[in-house]
Amino acid sequence: MQGNGEDRANDAVLPAAARGTGFASPFDRAQWFDLLTAHGFAGEGREDASGSAGATAAWLPLRRERAGHYSGLANWYSFAIRPLYTGEDERPAALADLFRRLRRRAARLTLYPVPDAEREPVAAALRSAGWWVNAAPKGDRHWLDLGGMDHEGWWDSRPGALRNTVKRKAKRGVVAIELRTEFDAGAWAAYERIYAASWKPEEGDPALLRAFAEAESARGTFRMGLARIAGDPVAAQFWTVEDDTAFIHKLAHVEDSLKASPGTLLSAVLFRHVIEVDGVRRVDFGTGNDGYKRDWMNRHEPLWQIEAFNPARIAAWGPALKAFARSALGRE
């Protein structure tokens, strides 16, 4: 710790009441960051950076990559990393104070994936706190904004090829669908078998994902669909629902079942359930620009990587020059 003891960031603990701007997300909660830490994603150590202005506090869970270099505490399951707050009145000032405090011990900060709506507020607060800032698009996010549409209105807006596939394949009755709103060990084991037989790469951290699913079930947000052919599980999807939003976390299907389109039929059932039963107004398909997401979603936006460099630290100058040069050449 440096200074006169006023900077207590290393002792701060993210409060359960902290929330992001806009609708809630499972990736904003203290429990999520605790889970990442418990499963080894905190690098050389976790730090819940904080700042304040008046009655408002800003929070940003970080991991130490190496001496002087911090990154947002996130992994490949995370849809976003963004500032969290307690209080509302002075959020920009509280966030600037957070970054000002962080400069006392950091040469470099990397944040990804930053949602499009958060890019400018984060970058502005960093610049206000004296950092050099480079923000560049690095990923993609597809999501559904239902606006005033009900399920039928949304479905009528989807591509004809998708609607015809669902109609034809459902009529055949080959695929049986089951939907669960509570975690079940047998169903989860079926999902893991499907994933192992799918086109997907090896699961990054199956123990973490299961622990997350169990925690979401305890909160009442868990949604899971299984598709079976002749009793054998061939497709599975894991979603959660909160704050009028459905989050699509994982999906997989067995390759040799594709002719029956079990994954497509399963998606159709889950969309209907979350819209008609759960009453969501948004569906978030997470990170990635897979072509099939466009069939289901009506919004697309970039995800950003924000790199910040402390001009007071010579160690930051070289990485800063490289980052700005990459952006200038369009080679992120």
Short mmCIF file of all heavy atoms in Angstrom, two decimals, residues 48-111:
data_model
loop_
_atom_site.label_atom_id
_atom_site.label_comp_id
_atom_site.label_asym_id
_atom_site.label_seq_id
_atom_site.Cartn_x
_atom_site.Cartn_y
_atom_site.Cartn_z
N ASP A 48 -10.71 -5.93 -5.80
CA ASP A 48 -11.93 -5.20 -6.11
C ASP A 48 -11.63 -3.71 -6.01
O ASP A 48 -11.72 -3.10 -4.94
CB ASP A 48 -13.05 -5.59 -5.14
CG ASP A 48 -13.51 -7.02 -5.34
OD1 ASP A 48 -13.29 -7.56 -6.44
OD2 ASP A 48 -14.07 -7.60 -4.40
N ALA A 49 -11.22 -3.12 -7.15
CA ALA A 49 -10.88 -1.70 -7.17
C ALA A 49 -12.13 -0.89 -6.88
O ALA A 49 -13.24 -1.24 -7.31
CB ALA A 49 -10.30 -1.32 -8.52
N SER A 50 -11.97 0.21 -6.16
CA SER A 50 -13.13 1.02 -5.79
C SER A 50 -12.77 2.49 -5.76
O SER A 50 -11.61 2.89 -5.66
CB SER A 50 -13.67 0.60 -4.41
OG SER A 50 -12.71 0.85 -3.40
N GLY A 51 -13.80 3.31 -5.89
CA GLY A 51 -13.68 4.75 -5.78
C GLY A 51 -15.01 5.30 -5.35
O GLY A 51 -16.03 4.61 -5.38
N SER A 52 -15.05 6.56 -4.97
CA SER A 52 -16.30 7.11 -4.48
C SER A 52 -16.40 8.60 -4.79
O SER A 52 -15.40 9.29 -5.01
CB SER A 52 -16.44 6.89 -2.97
OG SER A 52 -15.39 7.55 -2.27
N ALA A 53 -17.65 9.06 -4.81
CA ALA A 53 -17.96 10.48 -4.93
C ALA A 53 -19.28 10.70 -4.21
O ALA A 53 -20.30 10.12 -4.59
CB ALA A 53 -18.07 10.90 -6.39
N GLY A 54 -19.24 11.48 -3.15
CA GLY A 54 -20.43 11.65 -2.35
C GLY A 54 -20.91 10.33 -1.78
O GLY A 54 -20.12 9.55 -1.23
N ALA A 55 -22.18 10.01 -1.99
CA ALA A 55 -22.74 8.76 -1.46
C ALA A 55 -22.67 7.62 -2.47
O ALA A 55 -23.19 6.54 -2.20
CB ALA A 55 -24.20 9.00 -1.06
N THR A 56 -22.02 7.86 -3.59
CA THR A 56 -21.93 6.85 -4.64
C THR A 56 -20.55 6.21 -4.64
O THR A 56 -19.53 6.90 -4.53
CB THR A 56 -22.20 7.47 -6.02
OG1 THR A 56 -23.50 8.06 -6.02
CG2 THR A 56 -22.12 6.43 -7.12
N ALA A 57 -20.50 4.88 -4.76
CA ALA A 57 -19.24 4.15 -4.88
C ALA A 57 -19.23 3.39 -6.19
O ALA A 57 -20.25 2.88 -6.65
CB ALA A 57 -19.07 3.19 -3.71
N ALA A 58 -18.06 3.32 -6.81
CA ALA A 58 -17.85 2.54 -8.04
C ALA A 58 -16.94 1.38 -7.73
O ALA A 58 -16.00 1.50 -6.92
CB ALA A 58 -17.24 3.42 -9.13
N TRP A 59 -17.20 0.24 -8.37
CA TRP A 59 -16.44 -0.98 -8.12
C TRP A 59 -16.08 -1.63 -9.45
O TRP A 59 -16.84 -1.58 -10.42
CB TRP A 59 -17.28 -1.96 -7.30
CG TRP A 59 -17.70 -1.41 -5.97
CD1 TRP A 59 -18.77 -0.61 -5.72
CD2 TRP A 59 -17.03 -1.60 -4.73
NE1 TRP A 59 -18.82 -0.30 -4.38
CE2 TRP A 59 -17.77 -0.89 -3.75
CE3 TRP A 59 -15.88 -2.31 -4.35
CZ2 TRP A 59 -17.39 -0.87 -2.42
CZ3 TRP A 59 -15.52 -2.29 -3.02
CH2 TRP A 59 -16.27 -1.58 -2.07
N LEU A 60 -14.89 -2.28 -9.48
CA LEU A 60 -14.47 -3.00 -10.67
C LEU A 60 -13.58 -4.17 -10.24
O LEU A 60 -12.43 -3.96 -9.85
CB LEU A 60 -13.70 -2.08 -11.63
CG LEU A 60 -13.38 -2.65 -13.01
CD1 LEU A 60 -14.64 -3.03 -13.77
CD2 LEU A 60 -12.57 -1.64 -13.82
N PRO A 61 -14.10 -5.39 -10.27
CA PRO A 61 -13.28 -6.55 -9.90
C PRO A 61 -12.17 -6.79 -10.93
O PRO A 61 -12.44 -6.88 -12.14
CB PRO A 61 -14.29 -7.71 -9.88
CG PRO A 61 -15.61 -7.04 -9.66
CD PRO A 61 -15.51 -5.77 -10.44
N LEU A 62 -10.96 -6.92 -10.44
CA LEU A 62 -9.78 -7.06 -11.30
C LEU A 62 -8.96 -8.26 -10.88
O LEU A 62 -9.08 -8.75 -9.76
CB LEU A 62 -8.91 -5.80 -11.21
CG LEU A 62 -9.56 -4.46 -11.57
CD1 LEU A 62 -8.59 -3.32 -11.28
CD2 LEU A 62 -10.00 -4.44 -13.02
N ARG A 63 -8.09 -8.70 -11.78
CA ARG A 63 -7.08 -9.69 -11.44
C ARG A 63 -5.71 -9.10 -11.80
O ARG A 63 -5.57 -8.35 -12.77
CB ARG A 63 -7.31 -11.01 -12.17
CG ARG A 63 -7.13 -10.94 -13.67
CD ARG A 63 -7.07 -12.35 -14.27
NE ARG A 63 -6.96 -12.29 -15.71
CZ ARG A 63 -7.97 -12.56 -16.55
NH1 ARG A 63 -9.15 -12.88 -16.07
NH2 ARG A 63 -7.79 -12.48 -17.85
N ARG A 64 -4.71 -9.45 -11.02
CA ARG A 64 -3.34 -9.02 -11.31
C ARG A 64 -2.72 -10.02 -12.27
O ARG A 64 -2.57 -11.21 -11.95
CB ARG A 64 -2.51 -8.93 -10.03
CG ARG A 64 -2.90 -7.77 -9.15
CD ARG A 64 -1.88 -7.56 -8.02
NE ARG A 64 -1.87 -8.69 -7.09
CZ ARG A 64 -2.69 -8.83 -6.06
NH1 ARG A 64 -3.61 -7.91 -5.83
NH2 ARG A 64 -2.61 -9.87 -5.27
N GLU A 65 -2.38 -9.55 -13.46
CA GLU A 65 -1.71 -10.40 -14.44
C GLU A 65 -0.24 -10.58 -14.09
O GLU A 65 0.31 -11.67 -14.21
CB GLU A 65 -1.83 -9.78 -15.84
CG GLU A 65 -3.27 -9.55 -16.31
CD GLU A 65 -3.97 -10.85 -16.67
OE1 GLU A 65 -3.32 -11.92 -16.63
OE2 GLU A 65 -5.17 -10.80 -17.00
N ARG A 66 0.36 -9.46 -13.72
CA ARG A 66 1.76 -9.43 -13.28
C ARG A 66 1.96 -8.10 -12.58
O ARG A 66 1.02 -7.31 -12.50
CB ARG A 66 2.72 -9.58 -14.47
CG ARG A 66 2.62 -8.48 -15.50
CD ARG A 66 3.45 -8.76 -16.74
NE ARG A 66 2.90 -9.87 -17.50
CZ ARG A 66 1.97 -9.69 -18.44
NH1 ARG A 66 1.48 -8.48 -18.68
NH2 ARG A 66 1.50 -10.70 -19.12
N ALA A 67 3.14 -7.85 -12.09
CA ALA A 67 3.37 -6.61 -11.35
C ALA A 67 2.99 -5.40 -12.22
O ALA A 67 3.51 -5.22 -13.32
CB ALA A 67 4.84 -6.51 -10.95
N GLY A 68 2.05 -4.61 -11.72
CA GLY A 68 1.66 -3.39 -12.40
C GLY A 68 0.63 -3.54 -13.50
O GLY A 68 0.17 -2.54 -14.05
N HIS A 69 0.27 -4.76 -13.87
CA HIS A 69 -0.69 -4.99 -14.96
C HIS A 69 -1.93 -5.68 -14.41
O HIS A 69 -1.86 -6.78 -13.87
CB HIS A 69 -0.06 -5.84 -16.07
CG HIS A 69 -0.96 -6.02 -17.26
ND1 HIS A 69 -0.66 -6.87 -18.29
CD2 HIS A 69 -2.15 -5.45 -17.59
CE1 HIS A 69 -1.62 -6.82 -19.21
NE2 HIS A 69 -2.53 -5.97 -18.79
N TYR A 70 -3.08 -5.00 -14.57
CA TYR A 70 -4.37 -5.52 -14.11
C TYR A 70 -5.29 -5.75 -15.31
O TYR A 70 -5.21 -5.04 -16.32
CB TYR A 70 -5.03 -4.53 -13.16
CG TYR A 70 -4.33 -4.38 -11.83
CD1 TYR A 70 -3.21 -3.57 -11.70
CD2 TYR A 70 -4.79 -5.05 -10.71
CE1 TYR A 70 -2.56 -3.43 -10.48
CE2 TYR A 70 -4.16 -4.91 -9.47
CZ TYR A 70 -3.05 -4.10 -9.37
OH TYR A 70 -2.41 -3.96 -8.17
N SER A 71 -6.18 -6.73 -15.15
CA SER A 71 -7.21 -6.99 -16.15
C SER A 71 -8.55 -7.16 -15.45
O SER A 71 -8.60 -7.47 -14.25
CB SER A 71 -6.91 -8.25 -16.96
OG SER A 71 -5.77 -8.09 -17.77
N GLY A 72 -9.63 -7.00 -16.20
CA GLY A 72 -10.95 -7.27 -15.64
C GLY A 72 -11.06 -8.73 -15.26
O GLY A 72 -10.57 -9.62 -15.96
N LEU A 73 -11.70 -9.00 -14.13
CA LEU A 73 -11.88 -10.38 -13.67
C LEU A 73 -13.01 -11.01 -14.49
O LEU A 73 -14.19 -10.86 -14.19
CB LEU A 73 -12.20 -10.40 -12.18
CG LEU A 73 -12.36 -11.78 -11.53
CD1 LEU A 73 -11.16 -12.67 -11.81
CD2 LEU A 73 -12.60 -11.65 -10.03
N ALA A 74 -12.61 -11.70 -15.55
CA ALA A 74 -13.57 -12.32 -16.48
C ALA A 74 -12.91 -13.54 -17.09
O ALA A 74 -11.69 -13.72 -17.00
CB ALA A 74 -13.97 -11.32 -17.57
N ASN A 75 -13.74 -14.38 -17.72
CA ASN A 75 -13.20 -15.48 -18.51
C ASN A 75 -14.12 -15.72 -19.70
O ASN A 75 -15.00 -14.90 -19.99
CB ASN A 75 -13.00 -16.75 -17.66
CG ASN A 75 -14.31 -17.43 -17.29
OD1 ASN A 75 -15.40 -16.90 -17.51
ND2 ASN A 75 -14.20 -18.61 -16.72
N TRP A 76 -13.94 -16.84 -20.41
CA TRP A 76 -14.69 -17.08 -21.65
C TRP A 76 -16.18 -17.27 -21.42
O TRP A 76 -16.97 -17.19 -22.36
CB TRP A 76 -14.11 -18.27 -22.39
CG TRP A 76 -13.98 -19.49 -21.52
CD1 TRP A 76 -14.93 -20.42 -21.23
CD2 TRP A 76 -12.81 -19.90 -20.82
NE1 TRP A 76 -14.45 -21.38 -20.39
CE2 TRP A 76 -13.14 -21.09 -20.12
CE3 TRP A 76 -11.51 -19.39 -20.71
CZ2 TRP A 76 -12.21 -21.77 -19.32
CZ3 TRP A 76 -10.60 -20.07 -19.91
CH2 TRP A 76 -10.96 -21.25 -19.24
N TYR A 77 -16.62 -17.52 -20.19
CA TYR A 77 -18.04 -17.61 -19.91
C TYR A 77 -18.68 -16.23 -19.71
O TYR A 77 -19.90 -16.09 -19.77
CB TYR A 77 -18.30 -18.44 -18.65
CG TYR A 77 -17.86 -19.88 -18.73
CD1 TYR A 77 -16.99 -20.41 -17.79
CD2 TYR A 77 -18.32 -20.72 -19.75
CE1 TYR A 77 -16.59 -21.74 -17.85
CE2 TYR A 77 -17.92 -22.05 -19.81
CZ TYR A 77 -17.06 -22.56 -18.87
OH TYR A 77 -16.67 -23.87 -18.93
N SER A 78 -17.87 -15.22 -19.45
CA SER A 78 -18.38 -13.89 -19.12
C SER A 78 -18.92 -13.19 -20.37
O SER A 78 -18.26 -13.14 -21.39
CB SER A 78 -17.27 -13.02 -18.52
OG SER A 78 -16.69 -13.62 -17.38
N PHE A 79 -20.13 -12.64 -20.26
CA PHE A 79 -20.69 -11.85 -21.35
C PHE A 79 -20.10 -10.44 -21.35
O PHE A 79 -20.14 -9.76 -22.37
CB PHE A 79 -22.21 -11.74 -21.21
CG PHE A 79 -22.96 -12.99 -21.58
CD1 PHE A 79 -22.34 -14.23 -21.65
CD2 PHE A 79 -24.31 -12.93 -21.87
CE1 PHE A 79 -23.04 -15.38 -21.97
CE2 PHE A 79 -25.03 -14.07 -22.20
CZ PHE A 79 -24.40 -15.30 -22.25
N ALA A 80 -19.64 -9.98 -20.19
CA ALA A 80 -19.18 -8.59 -20.09
C ALA A 80 -18.38 -8.39 -18.82
O ALA A 80 -18.49 -9.15 -17.86
CB ALA A 80 -20.38 -7.63 -20.10
N ILE A 81 -17.57 -7.32 -18.83
CA ILE A 81 -16.97 -6.78 -17.62
C ILE A 81 -17.27 -5.28 -17.66
O ILE A 81 -17.05 -4.62 -18.67
CB ILE A 81 -15.45 -7.05 -17.52
CG1 ILE A 81 -14.89 -6.52 -16.21
CG2 ILE A 81 -14.69 -6.50 -18.72
CD1 ILE A 81 -15.26 -7.34 -15.01
N ARG A 82 -17.83 -4.78 -16.57
CA ARG A 82 -18.23 -3.37 -16.56
C ARG A 82 -18.22 -2.86 -15.12
O ARG A 82 -18.26 -3.65 -14.17
CB ARG A 82 -19.61 -3.19 -17.17
CG ARG A 82 -20.74 -3.93 -16.44
CD ARG A 82 -22.07 -3.64 -17.09
NE ARG A 82 -23.20 -4.27 -16.41
CZ ARG A 82 -24.46 -3.94 -16.59
NH1 ARG A 82 -24.76 -2.96 -17.43
NH2 ARG A 82 -25.43 -4.56 -15.94
N PRO A 83 -18.19 -1.54 -14.92
CA PRO A 83 -18.22 -0.99 -13.57
C PRO A 83 -19.54 -1.30 -12.87
O PRO A 83 -20.59 -1.36 -13.50
CB PRO A 83 -18.06 0.52 -13.78
CG PRO A 83 -17.50 0.67 -15.15
CD PRO A 83 -18.02 -0.48 -15.94
N LEU A 84 -19.45 -1.49 -11.57
CA LEU A 84 -20.62 -1.72 -10.73
C LEU A 84 -20.70 -0.58 -9.72
O LEU A 84 -19.69 0.05 -9.38
CB LEU A 84 -20.50 -3.06 -10.02
CG LEU A 84 -20.21 -4.26 -10.92
CD1 LEU A 84 -20.00 -5.52 -10.10
CD2 LEU A 84 -21.32 -4.45 -11.94
N TYR A 85 -21.91 -0.31 -9.22
CA TYR A 85 -22.10 0.87 -8.39
C TYR A 85 -23.02 0.57 -7.20
O TYR A 85 -23.91 -0.27 -7.29
CB TYR A 85 -22.73 2.01 -9.19
CG TYR A 85 -21.93 2.44 -10.39
CD1 TYR A 85 -22.19 1.90 -11.65
CD2 TYR A 85 -20.92 3.39 -10.28
CE1 TYR A 85 -21.46 2.28 -12.77
CE2 TYR A 85 -20.19 3.79 -11.39
CZ TYR A 85 -20.46 3.23 -12.62
OH TYR A 85 -19.73 3.61 -13.72
N THR A 86 -22.78 1.28 -6.13
CA THR A 86 -23.76 1.45 -5.06
C THR A 86 -24.04 2.94 -5.02
O THR A 86 -23.12 3.75 -4.92
CB THR A 86 -23.23 0.96 -3.71
OG1 THR A 86 -21.95 1.57 -3.43
CG2 THR A 86 -23.03 -0.55 -3.72
N GLY A 87 -25.31 3.31 -5.13
CA GLY A 87 -25.67 4.71 -5.28
C GLY A 87 -25.73 5.09 -6.75
O GLY A 87 -25.20 4.39 -7.61
N GLU A 88 -26.35 6.23 -7.04
CA GLU A 88 -26.58 6.60 -8.43
C GLU A 88 -26.18 8.03 -8.78
O GLU A 88 -25.91 8.32 -9.95
CB GLU A 88 -28.07 6.43 -8.78
CG GLU A 88 -28.57 5.00 -8.65
CD GLU A 88 -30.02 4.87 -9.09
OE1 GLU A 88 -30.59 5.88 -9.55
OE2 GLU A 88 -30.57 3.76 -8.96
N ASP A 89 -26.12 8.93 -7.85
CA ASP A 89 -26.06 10.36 -8.16
C ASP A 89 -24.77 10.80 -8.85
O ASP A 89 -24.82 11.69 -9.70
CB ASP A 89 -26.26 11.18 -6.88
CG ASP A 89 -27.68 11.04 -6.33
OD1 ASP A 89 -28.56 10.64 -7.12
OD2 ASP A 89 -27.88 11.30 -5.14
N GLU A 90 -23.64 10.20 -8.48
CA GLU A 90 -22.36 10.70 -9.00
C GLU A 90 -21.51 9.57 -9.57
O GLU A 90 -20.32 9.45 -9.24
CB GLU A 90 -21.62 11.44 -7.89
CG GLU A 90 -22.36 12.65 -7.35
CD GLU A 90 -21.55 13.41 -6.32
OE1 GLU A 90 -20.50 13.96 -6.69
OE2 GLU A 90 -21.98 13.44 -5.15
N ARG A 91 -22.10 8.77 -10.43
CA ARG A 91 -21.38 7.61 -10.95
C ARG A 91 -20.16 7.97 -11.79
O ARG A 91 -19.10 7.35 -11.61
CB ARG A 91 -22.35 6.72 -11.74
CG ARG A 91 -23.34 6.00 -10.83
CD ARG A 91 -24.21 5.02 -11.58
NE ARG A 91 -25.01 4.22 -10.64
CZ ARG A 91 -25.76 3.19 -10.99
NH1 ARG A 91 -25.83 2.84 -12.28
NH2 ARG A 91 -26.44 2.52 -10.09
N PRO A 92 -20.22 8.93 -12.72
CA PRO A 92 -19.00 9.27 -13.47
C PRO A 92 -17.85 9.72 -12.57
O PRO A 92 -16.69 9.32 -12.78
CB PRO A 92 -19.46 10.39 -14.40
CG PRO A 92 -20.93 10.15 -14.58
CD PRO A 92 -21.39 9.67 -13.23
N ALA A 93 -18.16 10.52 -11.56
CA ALA A 93 -17.11 11.00 -10.65
C ALA A 93 -16.56 9.85 -9.81
O ALA A 93 -15.34 9.78 -9.55
CB ALA A 93 -17.66 12.10 -9.75
N ALA A 94 -17.43 8.94 -9.37
CA ALA A 94 -16.97 7.80 -8.58
C ALA A 94 -16.08 6.90 -9.41
O ALA A 94 -15.07 6.38 -8.91
CB ALA A 94 -18.17 7.02 -8.03
N LEU A 95 -16.44 6.69 -10.69
CA LEU A 95 -15.62 5.84 -11.55
C LEU A 95 -14.27 6.50 -11.83
O LEU A 95 -13.23 5.82 -11.83
CB LEU A 95 -16.36 5.57 -12.86
CG LEU A 95 -15.70 4.59 -13.82
CD1 LEU A 95 -15.48 3.23 -13.16
CD2 LEU A 95 -16.55 4.43 -15.09
N ALA A 96 -14.25 7.81 -12.05
CA ALA A 96 -12.98 8.51 -12.25
C ALA A 96 -12.10 8.39 -11.00
O ALA A 96 -10.87 8.22 -11.10
CB ALA A 96 -13.23 9.97 -12.59
N ASP A 97 -12.72 8.46 -9.83
CA ASP A 97 -11.96 8.31 -8.59
C ASP A 97 -11.37 6.90 -8.48
O ASP A 97 -10.23 6.72 -8.04
CB ASP A 97 -12.86 8.59 -7.39
CG ASP A 97 -12.10 8.53 -6.07
OD1 ASP A 97 -11.13 9.29 -5.90
OD2 ASP A 97 -12.47 7.71 -5.22
N LEU A 98 -12.13 5.89 -8.90
CA LEU A 98 -11.62 4.51 -8.91
C LEU A 98 -10.35 4.42 -9.76
O LEU A 98 -9.34 3.86 -9.33
CB LEU A 98 -12.70 3.58 -9.45
CG LEU A 98 -12.40 2.07 -9.53
CD1 LEU A 98 -13.71 1.28 -9.51
CD2 LEU A 98 -11.61 1.68 -10.78
N PHE A 99 -10.41 4.97 -10.97
CA PHE A 99 -9.26 4.88 -11.87
C PHE A 99 -8.10 5.75 -11.38
O PHE A 99 -6.93 5.42 -11.61
CB PHE A 99 -9.67 5.26 -13.29
CG PHE A 99 -10.58 4.24 -13.94
CD1 PHE A 99 -11.71 4.64 -14.62
CD2 PHE A 99 -10.28 2.89 -13.87
CE1 PHE A 99 -12.55 3.71 -15.24
CE2 PHE A 99 -11.10 1.94 -14.48
CZ PHE A 99 -12.24 2.36 -15.15
N ARG A 100 -8.42 6.84 -10.71
CA ARG A 100 -7.36 7.68 -10.14
C ARG A 100 -6.61 6.93 -9.04
O ARG A 100 -5.37 6.96 -8.95
CB ARG A 100 -7.98 8.97 -9.60
CG ARG A 100 -6.99 10.08 -9.31
CD ARG A 100 -7.73 11.36 -8.94
NE ARG A 100 -8.58 11.83 -10.04
CZ ARG A 100 -9.91 11.85 -10.02
NH1 ARG A 100 -10.57 11.42 -8.95
NH2 ARG A 100 -10.58 12.30 -11.04
N ARG A 101 -7.34 6.22 -8.21
CA ARG A 101 -6.73 5.42 -7.14
C ARG A 101 -5.91 4.27 -7.73
O ARG A 101 -4.83 3.94 -7.23
CB ARG A 101 -7.82 4.86 -6.22
CG ARG A 101 -8.52 5.89 -5.36
CD ARG A 101 -9.75 5.29 -4.69
NE ARG A 101 -10.45 6.24 -3.84
CZ ARG A 101 -10.31 6.33 -2.53
NH1 ARG A 101 -9.48 5.52 -1.90
NH2 ARG A 101 -10.98 7.23 -1.84
N LEU A 102 -6.43 3.66 -8.80
CA LEU A 102 -5.73 2.54 -9.41
C LEU A 102 -4.40 2.97 -10.00
O LEU A 102 -3.43 2.19 -10.00
CB LEU A 102 -6.62 1.92 -10.50
CG LEU A 102 -6.12 0.62 -11.13
CD1 LEU A 102 -5.97 -0.49 -10.09
CD2 LEU A 102 -7.06 0.19 -12.25
N ARG A 103 -4.31 4.19 -10.49
CA ARG A 103 -3.05 4.69 -11.06
C ARG A 103 -1.90 4.70 -10.05
O ARG A 103 -0.73 4.66 -10.44
CB ARG A 103 -3.24 6.11 -11.60
CG ARG A 103 -3.71 6.18 -13.04
CD ARG A 103 -3.54 7.57 -13.59
NE ARG A 103 -2.14 7.97 -13.63
CZ ARG A 103 -1.72 9.23 -13.73
NH1 ARG A 103 -2.59 10.23 -13.77
NH2 ARG A 103 -0.43 9.51 -13.77
N ARG A 104 -2.23 4.73 -8.77
CA ARG A 104 -1.17 4.79 -7.75
C ARG A 104 -0.35 3.51 -7.71
O ARG A 104 0.79 3.52 -7.22
CB ARG A 104 -1.78 5.05 -6.38
CG ARG A 104 -2.54 6.36 -6.28
CD ARG A 104 -3.24 6.49 -4.94
NE ARG A 104 -4.13 7.65 -4.90
CZ ARG A 104 -4.96 7.93 -3.91
NH1 ARG A 104 -5.04 7.08 -2.88
NH2 ARG A 104 -5.73 8.99 -3.94
N ARG A 105 -0.91 2.40 -8.22
CA ARG A 105 -0.19 1.14 -8.12
C ARG A 105 -0.14 0.37 -9.44
O ARG A 105 0.40 -0.73 -9.50
CB ARG A 105 -0.83 0.25 -7.05
CG ARG A 105 -2.30 -0.04 -7.31
CD ARG A 105 -2.97 -0.62 -6.08
NE ARG A 105 -4.40 -0.83 -6.27
CZ ARG A 105 -5.32 0.14 -6.18
NH1 ARG A 105 -4.95 1.37 -5.92
NH2 ARG A 105 -6.60 -0.15 -6.36
N ALA A 106 -0.75 0.91 -10.51
CA ALA A 106 -0.85 0.17 -11.76
C ALA A 106 -0.21 0.94 -12.91
O ALA A 106 -0.32 2.17 -12.99
CB ALA A 106 -2.30 -0.13 -12.10
N ALA A 107 0.45 0.21 -13.79
CA ALA A 107 0.99 0.80 -15.01
C ALA A 107 0.07 0.56 -16.20
O ALA A 107 0.08 1.33 -17.16
CB ALA A 107 2.38 0.19 -15.31
N ARG A 108 -0.74 -0.49 -16.10
CA ARG A 108 -1.53 -0.90 -17.27
C ARG A 108 -2.81 -1.57 -16.82
O ARG A 108 -2.84 -2.29 -15.81
CB ARG A 108 -0.69 -1.86 -18.13
CG ARG A 108 -1.32 -2.30 -19.42
CD ARG A 108 -0.34 -3.20 -20.17
NE ARG A 108 -0.92 -3.70 -21.41
CZ ARG A 108 -0.32 -4.57 -22.21
NH1 ARG A 108 0.89 -5.03 -21.89
NH2 ARG A 108 -0.91 -4.98 -23.32
N LEU A 109 -3.89 -1.36 -17.60
CA LEU A 109 -5.18 -1.97 -17.32
C LEU A 109 -5.80 -2.44 -18.64
O LEU A 109 -5.83 -1.69 -19.62
CB LEU A 109 -6.12 -0.96 -16.65
CG LEU A 109 -7.57 -1.40 -16.44
CD1 LEU A 109 -7.65 -2.55 -15.45
CD2 LEU A 109 -8.42 -0.21 -15.98
N THR A 110 -6.29 -3.68 -18.65
CA THR A 110 -6.95 -4.23 -19.84
C THR A 110 -8.34 -4.72 -19.44
O THR A 110 -8.47 -5.50 -18.49
CB THR A 110 -6.15 -5.41 -20.43
OG1 THR A 110 -4.82 -4.98 -20.72
CG2 THR A 110 -6.80 -5.92 -21.71
N LEU A 111 -9.37 -4.27 -20.19
CA LEU A 111 -10.74 -4.67 -19.92
C LEU A 111 -11.36 -5.24 -21.18
O LEU A 111 -11.38 -4.58 -22.22
CB LEU A 111 -11.57 -3.47 -19.44
CG LEU A 111 -11.11 -2.77 -18.17
CD1 LEU A 111 -11.96 -1.53 -17.92
CD2 LEU A 111 -11.18 -3.71 -16.97
#
